[in-house]
């Protein structure tokens, strides 16, 4: 689990859900980081949280998160298409 930073929320964080101490803005960026560095354990945890709090809707073989917006959708798409950056850095080979 990621470390929670104490302090007042700022405009980038968006509203923070009490008790869970999560926000859509920071979670979207966490998806990108976890995907980029292939942190599968954290990525799985984030996906479970998204399924719980994102009000998912599945119709016609498509998945939509009703609590998302265009920026959130773009962050999730970007995270879903990123490759393992550490492997590229270590080996110099892009897969």
């Amino acid at each position: 689990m990621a470390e929670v930073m104490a302090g007042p929320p700022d405009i980038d964080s968006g509203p923070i859900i009490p008790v869970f101490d999560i926000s859509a803005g920071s979670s979207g960026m966490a998806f990108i980081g976890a995907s980029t560095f292939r942190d599968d354990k954290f990525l799985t945890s984030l996906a479970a949280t998204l399924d719980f709090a994102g009000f998912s809707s599945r119709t016609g073989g498509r998945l939509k998160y009703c609590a998302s917006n265009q920026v959130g959708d773009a962050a999730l798409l970007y995270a879903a298409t990123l490759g393992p950056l550490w492997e590229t850095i270590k080996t110099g080979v892009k897969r």
Side-chain angles (χ1 to χ4, degrees):
M1 178 65 72
E3 181 179 336
V4 176
M5 301 299 291
D10 59 29
I11 194 157
D12 296 330
S13 302
I16 296 175
I17 299 170
V19 180
F20 297 106
D21 288 330
I22 58 175
S23 74
S26 61
S27 296
M29 296 301 108
F31 264 99
I32 292 171
S35 179
T36 299
F37 296 105
R38 190 168 260 165
D39 185 344
D40 295 330
K41 184 177 177 183
F42 188 43
L43 195 57
T44 300
S45 173
L46 288 167
T49 302
L50 179 62
D51 283 338
F52 171 73
F55 302 107
S56 61
S57 171
R58 291 174 171 84
T59 54
R62 294 177 182 234
L63 172 63
K64 176 182 178 179
Y65 292 102
C66 298
S68 187
N69 60 25
Q70 291 175 339
V71 174
D73 293 346
L76 289 173
L77 176 63
Y78 189 57
T81 59
L82 288 173
L85 184 58
W86 278 132
E87 288 180 24
T88 303
I89 291 170
K90 288 180 188 176
T91 65
V93 177
K94 186 175 181 179
R95 297 175 190 232

